[in-house]
mmCIF file of all heavy atoms in Angstrom:
data_model
loop_
_atom_site.group_PDB
_atom_site.id
_atom_site.type_symbol
_atom_site.label_atom_id
_atom_site.label_comp_id
_atom_site.label_asym_id
_atom_site.label_seq_id
_atom_site.Cartn_x
_atom_site.Cartn_y
_atom_site.Cartn_z
ATOM 1 N N MET K 28 -25.143 35.231 180.907
ATOM 2 C CA MET K 28 -25.784 34.591 182.040
ATOM 3 C C MET K 28 -26.489 35.629 182.922
ATOM 4 O O MET K 28 -27.549 35.352 183.456
ATOM 5 C CB MET K 28 -24.744 33.817 182.837
ATOM 6 C CG MET K 28 -25.318 32.869 183.826
ATOM 7 S SD MET K 28 -24.005 31.790 184.418
ATOM 8 C CE MET K 28 -24.860 30.990 185.704
ATOM 9 N N LEU K 29 -25.892 36.788 183.050
ATOM 10 C CA LEU K 29 -26.505 37.838 183.859
ATOM 11 C C LEU K 29 -27.555 38.623 183.084
ATOM 12 O O LEU K 29 -28.432 39.227 183.677
ATOM 13 C CB LEU K 29 -25.438 38.819 184.364
ATOM 14 C CG LEU K 29 -24.577 38.364 185.506
ATOM 15 C CD1 LEU K 29 -23.455 39.376 185.769
ATOM 16 C CD2 LEU K 29 -25.392 38.178 186.763
ATOM 17 N N GLY K 30 -27.415 38.638 181.796
ATOM 18 C CA GLY K 30 -28.355 39.401 180.989
ATOM 19 C C GLY K 30 -28.022 40.882 180.955
ATOM 20 O O GLY K 30 -28.904 41.699 180.754
ATOM 21 N N ILE K 31 -26.756 41.231 181.172
ATOM 22 C CA ILE K 31 -26.333 42.624 181.106
ATOM 23 C C ILE K 31 -25.272 42.763 180.024
ATOM 24 O O ILE K 31 -24.608 41.804 179.655
ATOM 25 C CB ILE K 31 -25.789 43.146 182.456
ATOM 26 C CG1 ILE K 31 -24.576 42.352 182.925
ATOM 27 C CG2 ILE K 31 -26.879 43.126 183.511
ATOM 28 C CD1 ILE K 31 -23.924 42.883 184.190
ATOM 29 N N ARG K 32 -25.131 43.973 179.523
ATOM 30 C CA ARG K 32 -24.136 44.230 178.482
ATOM 31 C C ARG K 32 -22.729 44.240 179.067
ATOM 32 O O ARG K 32 -22.542 44.421 180.263
ATOM 33 C CB ARG K 32 -24.427 45.556 177.791
ATOM 34 C CG ARG K 32 -25.728 45.522 177.027
ATOM 35 C CD ARG K 32 -25.829 46.759 176.160
ATOM 36 N NE ARG K 32 -27.070 46.744 175.427
ATOM 37 C CZ ARG K 32 -27.194 46.260 174.198
ATOM 38 N NH1 ARG K 32 -26.161 45.758 173.582
ATOM 39 N NH2 ARG K 32 -28.352 46.286 173.588
ATOM 40 N N THR K 33 -21.756 44.057 178.207
ATOM 41 C CA THR K 33 -20.360 44.007 178.613
ATOM 42 C C THR K 33 -19.951 45.287 179.333
ATOM 43 O O THR K 33 -19.263 45.241 180.352
ATOM 44 C CB THR K 33 -19.453 43.787 177.392
ATOM 45 O OG1 THR K 33 -19.910 42.634 176.686
ATOM 46 C CG2 THR K 33 -18.009 43.589 177.798
ATOM 47 N N THR K 34 -20.380 46.443 178.819
ATOM 48 C CA THR K 34 -19.998 47.708 179.442
ATOM 49 C C THR K 34 -20.551 47.821 180.856
ATOM 50 O O THR K 34 -19.871 48.339 181.745
ATOM 51 C CB THR K 34 -20.461 48.910 178.603
ATOM 52 O OG1 THR K 34 -21.859 48.788 178.340
ATOM 53 C CG2 THR K 34 -19.703 48.979 177.294
ATOM 54 N N LYS K 35 -21.764 47.335 181.079
ATOM 55 C CA LYS K 35 -22.352 47.337 182.425
ATOM 56 C C LYS K 35 -21.581 46.387 183.331
ATOM 57 O O LYS K 35 -21.323 46.703 184.502
ATOM 58 C CB LYS K 35 -23.827 46.929 182.356
ATOM 59 C CG LYS K 35 -24.509 46.774 183.690
ATOM 60 C CD LYS K 35 -24.637 48.077 184.426
ATOM 61 C CE LYS K 35 -25.438 47.864 185.706
ATOM 62 N NZ LYS K 35 -25.449 49.033 186.546
ATOM 63 N N ALA K 36 -21.191 45.236 182.811
ATOM 64 C CA ALA K 36 -20.427 44.275 183.607
ATOM 65 C C ALA K 36 -19.091 44.872 184.026
ATOM 66 O O ALA K 36 -18.698 44.759 185.190
ATOM 67 C CB ALA K 36 -20.217 42.980 182.823
ATOM 68 N N TYR K 37 -18.405 45.531 183.100
ATOM 69 C CA TYR K 37 -17.130 46.150 183.449
ATOM 70 C C TYR K 37 -17.322 47.306 184.432
ATOM 71 O O TYR K 37 -16.471 47.538 185.294
ATOM 72 C CB TYR K 37 -16.373 46.606 182.206
ATOM 73 C CG TYR K 37 -15.647 45.473 181.533
ATOM 74 C CD1 TYR K 37 -16.026 45.016 180.281
ATOM 75 C CD2 TYR K 37 -14.577 44.842 182.161
ATOM 76 C CE1 TYR K 37 -15.367 43.967 179.664
ATOM 77 C CE2 TYR K 37 -13.906 43.784 181.557
ATOM 78 C CZ TYR K 37 -14.318 43.362 180.307
ATOM 79 O OH TYR K 37 -13.652 42.322 179.714
ATOM 80 N N ALA K 38 -18.430 48.021 184.330
ATOM 81 C CA ALA K 38 -18.717 49.084 185.299
ATOM 82 C C ALA K 38 -18.925 48.491 186.689
ATOM 83 O O ALA K 38 -18.468 49.057 187.689
ATOM 84 C CB ALA K 38 -19.946 49.872 184.865
ATOM 85 N N GLU K 39 -19.590 47.349 186.764
ATOM 86 C CA GLU K 39 -19.797 46.676 188.048
ATOM 87 C C GLU K 39 -18.467 46.156 188.613
ATOM 88 O O GLU K 39 -18.252 46.196 189.818
ATOM 89 C CB GLU K 39 -20.796 45.531 187.900
ATOM 90 C CG GLU K 39 -22.206 45.995 187.542
ATOM 91 C CD GLU K 39 -22.858 46.806 188.638
ATOM 92 O OE1 GLU K 39 -23.209 46.233 189.684
ATOM 93 O OE2 GLU K 39 -23.002 48.018 188.451
ATOM 94 N N VAL K 40 -17.581 45.699 187.743
ATOM 95 C CA VAL K 40 -16.248 45.262 188.176
ATOM 96 C C VAL K 40 -15.480 46.457 188.734
ATOM 97 O O VAL K 40 -14.883 46.376 189.808
ATOM 98 C CB VAL K 40 -15.470 44.601 187.018
ATOM 99 C CG1 VAL K 40 -14.012 44.400 187.385
ATOM 100 C CG2 VAL K 40 -16.119 43.276 186.640
ATOM 101 N N LYS K 41 -15.518 47.569 188.024
ATOM 102 C CA LYS K 41 -14.814 48.773 188.463
ATOM 103 C C LYS K 41 -15.362 49.278 189.788
ATOM 104 O O LYS K 41 -14.604 49.769 190.629
ATOM 105 C CB LYS K 41 -14.934 49.858 187.395
ATOM 106 C CG LYS K 41 -14.079 51.062 187.655
ATOM 107 C CD LYS K 41 -14.117 52.032 186.496
ATOM 108 C CE LYS K 41 -13.181 53.195 186.767
ATOM 109 N NZ LYS K 41 -13.161 54.137 185.643
ATOM 110 N N ALA K 42 -16.666 49.138 190.003
ATOM 111 C CA ALA K 42 -17.294 49.567 191.252
ATOM 112 C C ALA K 42 -17.036 48.582 192.391
ATOM 113 O O ALA K 42 -17.374 48.859 193.538
ATOM 114 C CB ALA K 42 -18.797 49.745 191.041
ATOM 115 N N GLY K 43 -16.478 47.417 192.065
ATOM 116 C CA GLY K 43 -16.176 46.424 193.088
ATOM 117 C C GLY K 43 -17.342 45.512 193.424
ATOM 118 O O GLY K 43 -17.292 44.765 194.397
ATOM 119 N N LYS K 44 -18.385 45.550 192.616
ATOM 120 C CA LYS K 44 -19.575 44.733 192.872
ATOM 121 C C LYS K 44 -19.500 43.357 192.243
ATOM 122 O O LYS K 44 -20.231 42.457 192.638
ATOM 123 C CB LYS K 44 -20.822 45.459 192.368
ATOM 124 C CG LYS K 44 -21.084 46.765 193.070
ATOM 125 C CD LYS K 44 -22.301 47.440 192.503
ATOM 126 C CE LYS K 44 -22.551 48.777 193.161
ATOM 127 N NZ LYS K 44 -23.711 49.449 192.570
ATOM 128 N N LEU K 45 -18.642 43.203 191.263
ATOM 129 C CA LEU K 45 -18.501 41.946 190.530
ATOM 130 C C LEU K 45 -17.017 41.654 190.367
ATOM 131 O O LEU K 45 -16.232 42.557 190.075
ATOM 132 C CB LEU K 45 -19.172 42.076 189.159
ATOM 133 C CG LEU K 45 -19.369 40.842 188.314
ATOM 134 C CD1 LEU K 45 -20.231 39.820 189.029
ATOM 135 C CD2 LEU K 45 -20.022 41.213 186.993
ATOM 136 N N LYS K 46 -16.624 40.404 190.576
ATOM 137 C CA LYS K 46 -15.211 40.041 190.549
ATOM 138 C C LYS K 46 -14.893 39.215 189.304
ATOM 139 O O LYS K 46 -15.574 38.240 189.007
ATOM 140 C CB LYS K 46 -14.868 39.235 191.797
ATOM 141 C CG LYS K 46 -13.424 38.856 191.899
ATOM 142 C CD LYS K 46 -13.157 38.042 193.150
ATOM 143 C CE LYS K 46 -11.770 37.476 193.130
ATOM 144 N NZ LYS K 46 -11.577 36.485 194.190
ATOM 145 N N LEU K 47 -13.829 39.634 188.599
ATOM 146 C CA LEU K 47 -13.358 38.895 187.435
ATOM 147 C C LEU K 47 -12.252 37.933 187.840
ATOM 148 O O LEU K 47 -11.484 38.213 188.760
ATOM 149 C CB LEU K 47 -12.771 39.843 186.391
ATOM 150 C CG LEU K 47 -13.712 40.686 185.570
ATOM 151 C CD1 LEU K 47 -12.916 41.540 184.594
ATOM 152 C CD2 LEU K 47 -14.703 39.841 184.825
ATOM 153 N N THR K 48 -12.158 36.838 187.131
ATOM 154 C CA THR K 48 -11.044 35.911 187.258
ATOM 155 C C THR K 48 -10.317 35.936 185.924
ATOM 156 O O THR K 48 -10.933 35.781 184.874
ATOM 157 C CB THR K 48 -11.554 34.485 187.557
ATOM 158 O OG1 THR K 48 -12.290 34.527 188.773
ATOM 159 C CG2 THR K 48 -10.419 33.512 187.675
ATOM 160 N N ARG K 49 -9.022 36.157 185.975
ATOM 161 C CA ARG K 49 -8.246 36.253 184.741
ATOM 162 C C ARG K 49 -7.485 34.967 184.494
ATOM 163 O O ARG K 49 -6.981 34.343 185.413
ATOM 164 C CB ARG K 49 -7.276 37.418 184.831
ATOM 165 C CG ARG K 49 -8.023 38.707 185.078
ATOM 166 C CD ARG K 49 -7.628 39.876 184.346
ATOM 167 N NE ARG K 49 -6.784 39.679 183.205
ATOM 168 C CZ ARG K 49 -6.836 40.445 182.144
ATOM 169 N NH1 ARG K 49 -7.697 41.416 182.091
ATOM 170 N NH2 ARG K 49 -6.022 40.266 181.145
ATOM 171 N N ASN K 50 -7.442 34.587 183.230
ATOM 172 C CA ASN K 50 -6.662 33.441 182.786
ATOM 173 C C ASN K 50 -5.885 33.916 181.565
ATOM 174 O O ASN K 50 -6.418 33.930 180.459
ATOM 175 C CB ASN K 50 -7.563 32.258 182.450
ATOM 176 C CG ASN K 50 -6.783 31.023 182.099
ATOM 177 O OD1 ASN K 50 -5.568 31.006 182.199
ATOM 178 N ND2 ASN K 50 -7.482 29.993 181.661
ATOM 179 N N GLY K 51 -4.654 34.347 181.810
ATOM 180 C CA GLY K 51 -3.885 34.932 180.719
ATOM 181 C C GLY K 51 -4.488 36.263 180.327
ATOM 182 O O GLY K 51 -4.692 37.132 181.163
ATOM 183 N N ARG K 52 -4.818 36.414 179.055
ATOM 184 C CA ARG K 52 -5.417 37.659 178.578
ATOM 185 C C ARG K 52 -6.934 37.653 178.660
ATOM 186 O O ARG K 52 -7.566 38.682 178.421
ATOM 187 C CB ARG K 52 -4.997 37.894 177.131
ATOM 188 C CG ARG K 52 -3.492 38.134 176.986
ATOM 189 C CD ARG K 52 -3.073 38.281 175.555
ATOM 190 N NE ARG K 52 -3.747 39.425 174.949
ATOM 191 C CZ ARG K 52 -3.690 39.711 173.662
ATOM 192 N NH1 ARG K 52 -3.018 38.944 172.841
ATOM 193 N NH2 ARG K 52 -4.323 40.757 173.186
ATOM 194 N N ARG K 53 -7.515 36.516 178.987
ATOM 195 C CA ARG K 53 -8.979 36.398 179.021
ATOM 196 C C ARG K 53 -9.511 36.632 180.428
ATOM 197 O O ARG K 53 -8.876 36.284 181.407
ATOM 198 C CB ARG K 53 -9.400 35.023 178.528
ATOM 199 C CG ARG K 53 -8.990 34.804 177.084
ATOM 200 C CD ARG K 53 -9.329 33.437 176.603
ATOM 201 N NE ARG K 53 -10.773 33.310 176.507
ATOM 202 C CZ ARG K 53 -11.398 32.175 176.219
ATOM 203 N NH1 ARG K 53 -10.704 31.088 176.019
ATOM 204 N NH2 ARG K 53 -12.702 32.132 176.137
ATOM 205 N N SER K 54 -10.691 37.208 180.515
ATOM 206 C CA SER K 54 -11.351 37.459 181.786
ATOM 207 C C SER K 54 -12.634 36.645 181.848
ATOM 208 O O SER K 54 -13.366 36.541 180.862
ATOM 209 C CB SER K 54 -11.704 38.941 181.929
ATOM 210 O OG SER K 54 -10.547 39.723 181.906
ATOM 211 N N PHE K 55 -12.888 36.090 183.017
ATOM 212 C CA PHE K 55 -14.079 35.279 183.232
ATOM 213 C C PHE K 55 -14.757 35.705 184.517
ATOM 214 O O PHE K 55 -14.115 36.245 185.416
ATOM 215 C CB PHE K 55 -13.710 33.796 183.368
ATOM 216 C CG PHE K 55 -13.036 33.223 182.155
ATOM 217 C CD1 PHE K 55 -11.660 33.204 182.052
ATOM 218 C CD2 PHE K 55 -13.791 32.700 181.124
ATOM 219 C CE1 PHE K 55 -11.029 32.682 180.943
ATOM 220 C CE2 PHE K 55 -13.174 32.168 180.000
ATOM 221 C CZ PHE K 55 -11.793 32.156 179.915
ATOM 222 N N VAL K 56 -16.032 35.428 184.601
ATOM 223 C CA VAL K 56 -16.762 35.577 185.852
ATOM 224 C C VAL K 56 -17.222 34.183 186.235
ATOM 225 O O VAL K 56 -17.932 33.527 185.470
ATOM 226 C CB VAL K 56 -17.976 36.526 185.702
ATOM 227 C CG1 VAL K 56 -18.721 36.641 187.005
ATOM 228 C CG2 VAL K 56 -17.520 37.891 185.219
ATOM 229 N N LYS K 57 -16.789 33.721 187.397
ATOM 230 C CA LYS K 57 -17.159 32.379 187.844
ATOM 231 C C LYS K 57 -18.646 32.311 188.152
ATOM 232 O O LYS K 57 -19.257 33.312 188.540
ATOM 233 C CB LYS K 57 -16.372 32.004 189.104
ATOM 234 C CG LYS K 57 -14.901 31.815 188.870
ATOM 235 C CD LYS K 57 -14.224 31.389 190.158
ATOM 236 C CE LYS K 57 -12.752 31.169 189.965
ATOM 237 N NZ LYS K 57 -12.105 30.744 191.216
ATOM 238 N N ALA K 58 -19.223 31.133 187.997
ATOM 239 C CA ALA K 58 -20.640 30.936 188.274
ATOM 240 C C ALA K 58 -20.955 31.262 189.732
ATOM 241 O O ALA K 58 -22.005 31.850 190.033
ATOM 242 C CB ALA K 58 -21.057 29.512 187.947
ATOM 243 N N SER K 59 -20.059 30.916 190.643
ATOM 244 C CA SER K 59 -20.281 31.224 192.061
ATOM 245 C C SER K 59 -20.310 32.733 192.292
ATOM 246 O O SER K 59 -21.086 33.234 193.123
ATOM 247 C CB SER K 59 -19.195 30.575 192.923
ATOM 248 O OG SER K 59 -17.917 31.039 192.540
ATOM 249 N N GLU K 60 -19.514 33.476 191.539
ATOM 250 C CA GLU K 60 -19.509 34.932 191.653
ATOM 251 C C GLU K 60 -20.792 35.517 191.088
ATOM 252 O O GLU K 60 -21.346 36.467 191.634
ATOM 253 C CB GLU K 60 -18.292 35.513 190.929
ATOM 254 C CG GLU K 60 -18.216 37.010 190.946
ATOM 255 C CD GLU K 60 -18.097 37.630 192.324
ATOM 256 O OE1 GLU K 60 -17.770 36.930 193.294
ATOM 257 O OE2 GLU K 60 -18.338 38.847 192.443
ATOM 258 N N VAL K 61 -21.310 34.932 190.009
ATOM 259 C CA VAL K 61 -22.585 35.381 189.438
ATOM 260 C C VAL K 61 -23.698 35.154 190.454
ATOM 261 O O VAL K 61 -24.535 36.049 190.688
ATOM 262 C CB VAL K 61 -22.894 34.636 188.117
ATOM 263 C CG1 VAL K 61 -24.311 34.927 187.650
ATOM 264 C CG2 VAL K 61 -21.896 35.019 187.049
ATOM 265 N N ASN K 62 -23.712 33.997 191.097
ATOM 266 C CA ASN K 62 -24.734 33.706 192.108
ATOM 267 C C ASN K 62 -24.643 34.674 193.287
ATOM 268 O O ASN K 62 -25.655 35.149 193.792
ATOM 269 C CB ASN K 62 -24.607 32.265 192.600
ATOM 270 C CG ASN K 62 -24.977 31.272 191.532
ATOM 271 O OD1 ASN K 62 -25.772 31.567 190.643
ATOM 272 N ND2 ASN K 62 -24.388 30.094 191.587
ATOM 273 N N ARG K 63 -23.418 34.993 193.730
ATOM 274 C CA ARG K 63 -23.237 35.932 194.829
ATOM 275 C C ARG K 63 -23.722 37.328 194.437
ATOM 276 O O ARG K 63 -24.404 38.004 195.191
ATOM 277 C CB ARG K 63 -21.752 36.007 195.229
ATOM 278 C CG ARG K 63 -21.530 36.859 196.481
ATOM 279 C CD ARG K 63 -20.147 37.481 196.530
ATOM 280 N NE ARG K 63 -19.801 38.275 195.372
ATOM 281 C CZ ARG K 63 -20.199 39.555 195.164
ATOM 282 N NH1 ARG K 63 -20.995 40.154 196.013
ATOM 283 N NH2 ARG K 63 -19.814 40.203 194.085
ATOM 284 N N TYR K 64 -23.412 37.744 193.226
ATOM 285 C CA TYR K 64 -23.816 39.055 192.719
ATOM 286 C C TYR K 64 -25.341 39.158 192.650
ATOM 287 O O TYR K 64 -25.920 40.156 193.086
ATOM 288 C CB TYR K 64 -23.196 39.276 191.341
ATOM 289 C CG TYR K 64 -23.588 40.557 190.661
ATOM 290 C CD1 TYR K 64 -23.055 41.774 191.066
ATOM 291 C CD2 TYR K 64 -24.488 40.556 189.598
ATOM 292 C CE1 TYR K 64 -23.409 42.950 190.436
ATOM 293 C CE2 TYR K 64 -24.841 41.726 188.966
ATOM 294 C CZ TYR K 64 -24.304 42.922 189.389
ATOM 295 O OH TYR K 64 -24.655 44.092 188.762
ATOM 296 N N ILE K 65 -25.991 38.131 192.141
ATOM 297 C CA ILE K 65 -27.451 38.122 192.049
ATOM 298 C C ILE K 65 -28.078 38.144 193.441
ATOM 299 O O ILE K 65 -29.055 38.865 193.683
ATOM 300 C CB ILE K 65 -27.941 36.918 191.225
ATOM 301 C CG1 ILE K 65 -27.516 37.089 189.766
ATOM 302 C CG2 ILE K 65 -29.444 36.749 191.337
ATOM 303 C CD1 ILE K 65 -27.745 35.881 188.904
ATOM 304 N N ALA K 66 -27.523 37.376 194.372
ATOM 305 C CA ALA K 66 -28.037 37.376 195.742
ATOM 306 C C ALA K 66 -27.899 38.759 196.373
ATOM 307 O O ALA K 66 -28.798 39.212 197.089
ATOM 308 C CB ALA K 66 -27.300 36.332 196.573
ATOM 309 N N ALA K 67 -26.797 39.441 196.091
ATOM 310 C CA ALA K 67 -26.598 40.787 196.622
ATOM 311 C C ALA K 67 -27.610 41.761 196.026
ATOM 312 O O ALA K 67 -28.130 42.636 196.724
ATOM 313 C CB ALA K 67 -25.175 41.259 196.346
ATOM 314 N N LEU K 68 -27.915 41.607 194.743
ATOM 315 C CA LEU K 68 -28.925 42.453 194.115
ATOM 316 C C LEU K 68 -30.299 42.199 194.719
ATOM 317 O O LEU K 68 -31.064 43.134 194.974
ATOM 318 C CB LEU K 68 -28.972 42.215 192.604
ATOM 319 C CG LEU K 68 -27.786 42.708 191.789
ATOM 320 C CD1 LEU K 68 -27.970 42.313 190.331
ATOM 321 C CD2 LEU K 68 -27.621 44.204 191.925
ATOM 322 N N ASP K 69 -30.621 40.919 194.945
ATOM 323 C CA ASP K 69 -31.906 40.580 195.567
ATOM 324 C C ASP K 69 -32.010 41.155 196.971
ATOM 325 O O ASP K 69 -33.046 41.689 197.353
ATOM 326 C CB ASP K 69 -32.090 39.058 195.628
ATOM 327 C CG ASP K 69 -32.390 38.444 194.265
ATOM 328 O OD1 ASP K 69 -32.788 39.200 193.354
ATOM 329 O OD2 ASP K 69 -32.209 37.224 194.133
ATOM 330 N N ALA K 70 -30.946 41.053 197.740
ATOM 331 C CA ALA K 70 -30.943 41.579 199.114
ATOM 332 C C ALA K 70 -31.116 43.095 199.102
ATOM 333 O O ALA K 70 -31.857 43.643 199.934
ATOM 334 C CB ALA K 70 -29.654 41.181 199.821
ATOM 335 N N ALA K 71 -30.474 43.761 198.173
ATOM 336 C CA ALA K 71 -30.583 45.218 198.079
ATOM 337 C C ALA K 71 -32.004 45.638 197.680
ATOM 338 O O ALA K 71 -32.546 46.601 198.227
ATOM 339 C CB ALA K 71 -29.581 45.765 197.080
ATOM 340 N N SER K 72 -32.624 44.906 196.771
ATOM 341 C CA SER K 72 -33.985 45.261 196.356
ATOM 342 C C SER K 72 -34.993 44.977 197.455
ATOM 343 O O SER K 72 -35.959 45.714 197.625
ATOM 344 C CB SER K 72 -34.364 44.523 195.060
ATOM 345 O OG SER K 72 -34.449 43.145 195.271
ATOM 346 N N GLU K 73 -34.771 43.915 198.237
ATOM 347 C CA GLU K 73 -35.648 43.615 199.365
ATOM 348 C C GLU K 73 -35.504 44.678 200.450
ATOM 349 O O GLU K 73 -36.472 45.072 201.075
ATOM 350 C CB GLU K 73 -35.345 42.243 199.937
ATOM 351 C CG GLU K 73 -35.790 41.099 199.061
ATOM 352 C CD GLU K 73 -35.391 39.751 199.602
ATOM 353 O OE1 GLU K 73 -34.806 39.677 200.705
ATOM 354 O OE2 GLU K 73 -35.672 38.756 198.916
ATOM 355 N N LYS K 74 -34.274 45.164 200.650
ATOM 356 C CA LYS K 74 -34.021 46.192 201.645
ATOM 357 C C LYS K 74 -34.715 47.498 201.257
ATOM 358 O O LYS K 74 -35.262 48.202 202.100
ATOM 359 C CB LYS K 74 -32.510 46.408 201.790
ATOM 360 C CG LYS K 74 -32.125 47.321 202.901
ATOM 361 C CD LYS K 74 -30.620 47.407 203.041
ATOM 362 C CE LYS K 74 -30.216 48.330 204.171
ATOM 363 N NZ LYS K 74 -28.767 48.455 204.291
ATOM 364 N N GLU K 75 -34.686 47.834 199.961
ATOM 365 C CA GLU K 75 -35.340 49.048 199.482
ATOM 366 C C GLU K 75 -36.858 48.949 199.601
ATOM 367 O O GLU K 75 -37.531 49.929 199.862
ATOM 368 C CB GLU K 75 -34.962 49.318 198.024
ATOM 369 C CG GLU K 75 -33.548 49.791 197.847
ATOM 370 C CD GLU K 75 -33.196 50.009 196.383
ATOM 371 O OE1 GLU K 75 -34.078 49.845 195.514
ATOM 372 O OE2 GLU K 75 -32.032 50.320 196.103
ATOM 373 N N ALA K 76 -37.396 47.754 199.406
ATOM 374 C CA ALA K 76 -38.847 47.556 199.466
ATOM 375 C C ALA K 76 -39.362 47.676 200.894
ATOM 376 O O ALA K 76 -40.516 48.031 201.118
ATOM 377 C CB ALA K 76 -39.218 46.189 198.890
ATOM 378 N N ALA K 77 -38.522 47.387 201.865
ATOM 379 C CA ALA K 77 -38.954 47.420 203.280
ATOM 380 C C ALA K 77 -38.923 48.799 203.853
ATOM 381 O O ALA K 77 -38.741 49.785 203.428
ATOM 382 C CB ALA K 77 -38.049 46.531 204.113
#
């Protein structure tokens, strides 16, 4: 959904930028978390452009 590789996603989780939800041994990223992450990326790129 994000269009990034698994290793990049785990790096973002480790950096605290993306939150995982665990269900037993499986890890998921909720759609609301994906939307929040994308909004944060957009805000950061707009801030850099200004």
Side-chain angles (χ1 to χ4, degrees):
M28 194 168 171
L29 284 173
I31 60 175
R32 294 191 180 266
T33 307
T34 53
K35 175 67 175 172
Y37 280 113
E39 294 294 289
V40 169
K41 189 174 183 178
K44 297 179 182 178
L45 191 60
K46 182 181 171 191
L47 286 180
T48 300
R49 302 223 15 148
N50 185 5
R52 295 177 61 188
R53 298 177 69 186
S54 298
F55 299 93
V56 179
K57 292 182 179 181
S59 59
E60 178 62 16
V61 171
N62 291 332
R63 186 207 55 80
Y64 177 75
I65 293 171
L68 290 177
D69 287 342
S72 66
E73 288 176 3
K74 187 176 180 182
E75 288 178 3

